[in-house]
Amino acid sequence: MKAHLLYPSRDFDWHAAPAWAAETLTQDLELNTLFAAMANGDKFLFEAARKVVLSSISDPDLLNYRQAVLRDCLANAAVVVSIYQIAVEAIEREKKDFWRVSIKSPGLILSRAIDVLEMFMGMLVRLRSTAEQNSSAFHSEGFGKFVTMLKTELADEYLATVSKHLKQLRFPDGILLSAELGRGNKGVNHVLRARQESDGLGWIERIFSRRPEEYTFHLHPRDESGFSALSELRDRGINAAANVLAQSSDHVLGFFQLLRNELAFYLGCLNLHKHLAQKKVLPTCFPVPAPAGGSRHTVRGLYDVCLAVRQGDSVVGNDLDADGRCLAIITGANQGGKSTFLRSIGLAQLMMQCGMFVPAESFCADVREAIFTHFKREEDATMQSGKLDEELARMSEIADHINSNSIVLFNESFAATNDREGSEIARQIVSALLEKNVKIFFVTHLWEFASGMFEKHMEGSIFLRAERRPNGLRTFKVLQGEPQQTSYGEDLYHRVFNAIPGPGKSEIGEDGGR
């Protein structure tokens, strides 16, 4: 039995190693805030969100498969939660109600396996019943396969047969074994045999019918050696059956674990969607994943979902028309929302490439093989070299792992040196990446770099600027516009010393984004 709610033809690998850039992505895009919102206090949901979101996929068909499953989850949230709870209950009951066999006794192993399987059969019946009762409400291929699997593999006839076999394996009438005599008249090839059915004979016929010749012996109540030998003989006979049933119980447990793991991601999506829906003014949409190899990026009302989770509904959405553009350079006033906008781009790309909805009114972008970030770091007293060396070392590591058709987000990179040197480093790195069809979003205050790239009128580039009103007010809108030589740092000076009015502290996000 397979769940196949994340992949149409394989299971999600819960134990797969994270991508190389996972830790850096988590730090730079503040993903723990996203995971916490999806988890809603549940540690397992947090881990499921982390594993699936960071396991980025680049197949548009697979992304559409997951989106369809998520649409079903949003439309049938209560049913999906019930299915998840059944899986969790089955796993917890197996762990708490049935002791683990530490002594490798076939009898004990068989007894536990029967108890566990009988419990699992009851849980599977509940699962099938829940799915069947609501089958008409599901329209995705993933849930369609899931419901069909439960109906076909857990038919009443099959469940009745399993129940019958489990009762027989409790041996209410004793154990029937066959064996052969081996060397030294020792028993070999012990085989557990099923007792023959009565073939519909009445009780009178069964009494007077001819039976096979039998021989019976009895052990003395104090014959410990005899009892030990008989117990050993019994264990030899049931050993194979015990192993098979133990494997069967593990197989059913594995199914419930897979179902829990895959549904946990969708429950996280439900939690996040509910959280954003309560704000009413924060839209979400299902993105349109374009095939790899192109350069699509058109969005409406895109906002930083992590900032929205922290600050509520006081966030500003941005639009972007960057189809056919592989380079976006973002400049503008300090605390104008540039870093927030950059994070919103990265978060939406990650959310799209795991099959989620995205925080926007509409979103269409091409899928990318990998997502990397290169954000500025605060001063670190433990550093053995300067900040520029540290930045270049991180860039070198990215270069070792990057491939064509990736996306890189730069935030104030290479600003640890003077403008001229930093601009030249940025120009050479950006030029090399563009040759490999790498999409780049670059937030920078390096005037020579930004203006030099603008003056080249490069095809496939777009220049954005954080909006600043004449009175110094930041709207936190990022609009298309050429670079300016000033970042209006004097606005911050005057605001600190109350020389001119400006937006209050409560209106500004941690990095200037609303």
Side-chain angles (χ1 to χ4, degrees):
M1 295 187 296
K2 303 292 183 180
H4 288 171
L5 294 175
L6 286 175
Y7 294 93
S9 57
R10 71 178 179 90
D11 301 323
F12 177 72
D13 187 357
W14 185 262
H15 302 289
W20 172 80
E23 185 175 345
T24 303
L25 279 175
T26 301
Q27 177 181 349
D28 290 341
L29 300 182
E30 302 178 3
L31 290 177
N32 283 335
T33 300
L34 175 67
F35 302 151
M38 296 175 69
N40 196 29
D42 188 310
K43 292 182 179 180
F44 187 82
L45 294 187
F46 184 99
E47 186 66 11
R50 186 184 69 84
K51 287 181 178 293
V52 178
V53 171
L54 290 172
S55 300
S56 182
I57 56 178
S58 55
D59 181 354
D61 292 335
L62 178 53
L63 294 175
N64 289 327
Y65 178 89
R66 289 190 184 179
Q67 286 185 17
V69 173
L70 180 53
R71 283 190 175 94
D72 271 348
C73 291
L74 291 171
N76 305 279
V79 178
V80 173
V81 170
S82 297
I83 294 174
Y84 177 78
Q85 289 175 342
I86 290 172
V88 171
E89 182 183 345
I91 295 167
E92 292 300 319
R93 287 184 61 182
E94 189 274 342
K95 183 189 303 182
K96 295 179 179 179
D97 297 351
F98 304 97
W99 40 264
R100 287 281 177 180
V101 178
S102 56
I103 302 175
K104 301 303 181 182
S105 165
L108 295 177
I109 293 173
L110 180 65
S111 177
R112 181 187 187 277
I114 293 173
D115 291 340
V116 171
L117 281 172
E118 287 181 340
M119 182 272 292
F120 279 160
M121 288 301 106
M123 302 304 294
L124 288 172
V125 169
R126 284 176 54 190
L127 181 63
R128 189 194 68 177
S129 176
T130 301
E132 282 184 332
Q133 291 173 9
N134 299 277
S135 60
S136 61
F138 293 104
H139 305 287
S140 66
E141 180 185 353
F143 269 109
K145 286 182 175 181
F146 179 70
V147 174
T148 300
M149 179 273 296
L150 293 177
K151 289 180 178 179
T152 55
E153 297 193 22
L154 298 176
D156 290 337
E157 297 79 4
Y158 171 77
L159 294 175
T161 301
V162 171
S163 179
K164 176 182 177 182
H165 288 323
L166 292 178
K167 289 179 180 179
Q168 289 178 338
L169 286 168
R170 291 192 183 277
F171 308 119
D173 299 321
I175 298 176
L176 182 62
L177 302 177
S178 67
E180 299 176 358
L181 289 178
R183 184 174 298 180
N185 283 339
K186 289 186 176 181
V188 296
N189 298 331
H190 296 81
V191 178
L192 181 66
R193 301 292 181 179
R195 295 185 180 274
Q196 294 182 351
E197 299 290 343
S198 60
D199 296 327
L201 297 177
W203 65 273
I204 296 179
E205 288 86 348
R206 291 201 300 273
I207 293 175
F208 293 101
S209 62
R210 181 167 180 157
R211 297 182 178 182
E213 193 172 0
E214 295 179 352
Y215 299 92
T216 304
F217 70 94
H218 298 274
L219 292 177
H220 191 278
R222 296 184 179 180
D223 186 358
E224 295 182 1
S225 297
F227 276 108
S228 177
L230 190 61
S231 178
E232 181 181 351
L233 182 64
R234 179 182 185 274
D235 285 347
R236 288 182 184 179
I238 66 173
N239 183 62
N243 289 335
V244 169
L245 257 68
Q247 292 174 9
S248 298
S249 65
D250 288 343
H251 172 75
V252 181
L253 174 62
F255 164 72
F256 280 119
Q257 289 172 335
L258 284 172
L259 180 60
R260 175 198 59 178
N261 295 349
E262 297 191 7
L263 278 182
F265 165 70
Y266 291 109
L267 256 66
C269 295
L270 293 179
N271 288 337
L272 179 63
H273 190 272
K274 181 179 179 180
H275 183 90
L276 296 175
Q278 289 173 346
K279 309 300 180 183
K280 298 186 184 301
V281 296
L282 298 179
T284 59
C285 70
F286 280 96
V288 179
S295 185
R296 299 285 306 278
H297 226 113
T298 301
V299 304
R300 294 288 180 271
L302 177 66
Y303 59 91
D304 181 345
V305 65
C306 294
L307 186 63
V309 167
R310 291 195 305 270
Q311 292 194 190
D313 55 6
S314 58
V315 295
V316 173
N318 278 287
D319 301 340
L320 176 65
D321 293 300
D323 283 356
R325 316 292 181 93
C326 281
L327 172 64
I329 294 181
I330 305 120
T331 60
N334 286 311
Q335 292 194 349
K338 300 185 301 298
S339 296
T340 299
F341 174 74
L342 188 68
R343 273 199 303 272
S344 70
I345 292 289
L347 285 164
Q349 190 78 22
L350 270 179
M351 293 170 73
M352 179 186 74
Q353 292 198 204
C354 69
M356 292 180 67
F357 52 82
V358 297
E361 296 171 10
S362 65
F363 187 96
C364 177
D366 55 311
V367 294
R368 292 280 159 169
E369 293 293 332
I371 304 171
F372 299 92
T373 56
H374 189 276
F375 282 30
K376 66 178 180 180
R377 295 282 185 261
E378 299 299 328
E379 291 285 356
D380 185 353
T382 64
M383 289 173 55
Q384 302 297 315
S385 58
K387 285 189 66 177
L388 180 60
D389 288 342
E390 183 271 338
E391 286 188 275
L392 293 175
R394 281 193 287 127
M395 189 64 234
S396 178
E397 291 180 346
I398 292 175
D400 290 339
H401 293 86
I402 203 169
N403 52 20
S404 60
N405 198 41
S406 296
I407 181 172
V408 185
L409 310 179
F410 292 95
N411 188 21
E412 302 290 358
S413 300
F414 319 119
T417 183
N418 60 68
D419 185 88
R420 182 177 180 181
E421 184 178 14
S423 295
E424 181 61 20
I425 293 172
R427 184 191 64 79
Q428 292 191 27
I429 289 174
V430 166
S431 298
L433 293 176
L434 290 175
E435 290 179 3
K436 297 297 183 181
N437 193 36
V438 175
K439 184 182 287 189
I440 300 168
F441 285 83
F442 206 126
V443 168
T444 185
H445 288 298
L446 296 172
W447 164 245
E448 284 197 23
F449 166 63
S451 62
M453 300 299 286
F454 180 79
E455 291 170 0
K456 287 183 178 181
H457 301 290
M458 295 174 55
E459 184 179 356
S461 62
I462 186 172
F463 292 83
L464 308 171
R465 192 172 68 223
E467 185 180 31
R468 171 191 177 273
R469 297 279 173 81
N471 65 352
L473 179 68
R474 273 68 166 163
T475 66
F476 307 109
K477 284 286 188 179
V478 177
L479 308 174
Q480 191 167 349
E482 66 180 271
Q484 292 181 331
Q485 191 165 7
T486 177
S487 298
Y488 297 100
E490 66 272 15
D491 291 348
L492 304 181
Y493 173 84
H494 291 305
R495 190 180 307 163
V496 169
F497 293 99
N498 297 316
I500 62 172
K505 185 176 181 180
S506 63
E507 298 181 42
I508 302 176
E510 293 182 4
D511 58 357
R514 284 195 174 193

